[in-house]
């Protein structure tokens, strides 16, 4: 049996504006993972996704599914016939909720295929294959989700620019609150595009303001300044509301976290549902978690951003 996995992700600052060339900051959530497990199957290649109620037989016929597309892309890249395997994909990451479940499942599946066929490839190549599938899921994705998930490192991401790893100086504690409402990133991204096309003169300044606060957020992470980062998250949520990608449920959870003393809170990912994040001090974890649950969160995860090994305190 061969297994491989990939983490969830959260966007700390800059979602949506990143699609228009502004920077964004994302971090992996290594405690929440998608996994793929391969076992020998003498009949051919089969992919089983119990969470999606899917069994895909990838024999001769072309199966129209994102996981089948990823499999074809990987096998073409390594010039390999479909191996005789049953690959089961499973995920602890809530679906369609801004945590990168699609990219994580694709990455885990690609990794198990590469391991089972003993074909190592560069992370950059893997990243570009997963990005192809993200385009099917998300329409016009910036590429931030696949990048942070494939590299499993905090990233300062600018579309079509070389990847910059972020050095985090300080320990930051986050709670992730799930509204329980799924929402497709593709739709939120498309609606922002329509808004932009309707009135670019109104939307561009919002995108620029998000870009400016992301740069300040990078500084906050690199100097260990949690209070500054928290304030920027609140400002970012306000700007995302103006882009119409928040929702009453997200706003309720954000307000509840702030009222319970969180340093900052915002929606994370595509919005309209899915997850929000709250930045807290570790001693606030119980109080803020209780407040989030009382305000309707169906799940609360904790994610600790660890100080980067090579980061210096300023
Ligand atoms: C989704 O996690 C982040 C968005 O900015 C879309 C993208 O960057 O592709 C909303």
């Amino acid at each position: 049996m061969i297994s491989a996995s990939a983490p969830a992700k959260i966007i700390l600052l800059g979602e949506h504006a990143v699609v228009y060339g502004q920077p964004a900051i994302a971090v992996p959530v290594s405690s929440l993972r998608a996994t793929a497990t391969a076992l020998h199957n003498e009949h051919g290649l089969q992919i089983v996704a119990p969470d999606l109620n899917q069994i895909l037989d990838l024999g001769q016929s072309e199966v129209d599914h994102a996981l089948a597309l990823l499999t074809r892309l990987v096998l073409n890249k390594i010039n390999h016939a479909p191996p005789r395997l049953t690959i089961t994909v499973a995920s602890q990451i809530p679906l369609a909720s801004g945590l990168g479940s699609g990219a994580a499942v694709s990455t885990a599946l690609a990794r198990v295929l590469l391991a089972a066929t003993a074909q190592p490839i560069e992370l950059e190549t893997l990243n570009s294959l997963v990005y192809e599938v993200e385009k099917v899921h998300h329409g016009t994705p910036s590429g931030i989700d696949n990048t942070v998930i494939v590299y499993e490192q905090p990233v300062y991401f600018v579309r079509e620019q070389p990847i910059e790893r972020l050095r985090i100086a300080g320990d930051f504690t986050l709670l992730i609150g799930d509204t329980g409402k799924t929402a497709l990133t593709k739709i939120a991204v498309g609606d922002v595009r329509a808004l932009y096309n309707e009135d670019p003169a109104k939307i561009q300044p919002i995108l620029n303001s998000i870009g400016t606060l992301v740069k300040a957020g990078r500084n906050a992470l690199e100097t260990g300044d949690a209070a500054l980062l928290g304030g920027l998250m609140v400002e970012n949520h306000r700007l995302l509301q103006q882009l119409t990608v928040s929702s009453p449920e997200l706003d309720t959870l954000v307000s509840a976290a702030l009222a319970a003393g969180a340093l900052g809170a915002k929606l994370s990912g595509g919005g309209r549902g899915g997850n929000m994040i709250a930045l807290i001090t570790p001693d606030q974890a119980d109080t803020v978690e209780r407040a989030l649950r009382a305000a309707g969160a169906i799940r609360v995860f904790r994610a600790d951003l660890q100080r980067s090994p090579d980061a210096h305190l300023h």
Side-chain angles (χ1 to χ4, degrees):
M1 191 178 84
I2 299 175
S3 292
S5 71
K9 68 98 205 344
I10 44 183
I11 298 202
L12 280 185
L13 295 169
E15 52 276 269
H16 286 288
V18 68
V19 173
Y20 298 80
Q22 300 293 338
I25 296 172
V27 296
V29 182
S30 295
S31 55
L32 269 182
R33 305 189 78 84
T35 52
T37 308
L39 285 170
H40 181 71
N41 170 359
E42 57 187 10
H43 301 297
L45 179 57
Q46 186 182 55
I47 295 176
V48 183
D51 301 344
L52 304 175
N53 247 329
Q54 290 276 356
I55 298 181
L56 308 170
D57 278 308
L58 305 187
Q60 296 75 23
S61 62
E62 295 251 306
V63 180
D64 179 21
H65 190 281
L67 296 178
L69 170 64
L70 191 265
T71 305
R72 280 198 297 278
L73 289 170
V74 170
L75 294 176
N76 280 345
K77 185 54 117 189
I78 61 176
N79 214 354
H80 202 288
R84 296 178 180 281
L85 295 171
T86 291
I87 300 177
T88 304
V89 293
S91 181
Q92 306 168 312
I93 309 166
L95 294 172
S97 60
L99 296 178
S101 62
V105 167
S106 293
T107 304
L109 173 58
R111 285 198 167 128
V112 90
L113 275 165
L114 294 164
T117 52
Q119 301 280 332
I121 60 169
E122 301 282 329
L123 286 182
E124 195 181 337
T125 312
L126 175 59
N127 195 23
S128 66
L129 297 176
V130 177
Y131 182 51
E132 287 307 305
V133 179
E134 285 289 285
K135 289 185 193 162
V136 176
H137 280 302
H138 294 331
T140 55
S142 63
I144 189 169
D145 287 14
N146 44 285
T147 300
V148 66
I149 284 169
V150 167
Y151 286 85
E152 202 164 345
Q153 298 267 350
V155 292
Y156 180 84
F157 182 90
V158 182
R159 196 168 185 169
E160 280 153 30
Q161 299 282 314
I163 296 153
E164 284 186 64
R165 294 190 174 84
L166 255 184
R167 287 177 309 116
I168 296 180
D171 299 318
F172 294 89
T173 304
L174 292 160
L175 291 182
I176 306 171
D178 190 347
T179 62
K181 257 189 84 178
T182 55
L184 292 177
T185 299
K186 193 174 185 162
I187 293 175
V189 168
D191 289 352
V192 174
R193 173 67 62 191
L195 213 60
Y196 182 85
N197 288 343
E198 223 168 79
D199 196 351
K202 182 173 159 211
I203 301 303
Q204 190 60 52
I206 301 174
L207 303 174
N208 294 345
S209 301
I210 294 176
T212 302
L213 71 81
V214 172
K215 289 179 195 142
R218 172 183 200 157
N219 190 42
L221 286 160
E222 289 180 343
T223 57
D225 191 338
L228 174 59
L229 181 62
L232 294 167
M233 288 166 66
V234 172
E235 174 67 2
N236 196 169
H237 186 71
R238 198 180 60 76
L239 293 164
L240 287 163
Q241 284 173 324
Q242 292 177 19
L243 293 179
T244 76
V245 293
S246 193
S247 72
E249 294 84 358
L250 284 165
D251 289 345
T252 301
L253 295 189
V254 166
S255 302
L258 294 174
L263 303 171
K266 64 181 276 291
L267 72 85
S268 181
R272 292 273 167 81
N275 283 275
M276 51 71 70
I277 53 176
L279 180 68
I280 57 167
T281 56
D283 58 309
Q284 291 175 321
D286 288 343
T287 319
V288 177
E289 176 169 354
R290 263 199 304 278
L292 286 171
R293 288 191 190 276
I298 63 155
R299 273 180 287 236
V300 179
F301 305 102
R302 178 171 164 160
D304 291 292
L305 304 190
Q306 309 284 343
R307 182 189 303 261
S308 311
D310 58 348
H312 300 292
L313 276 179
H314 291 244

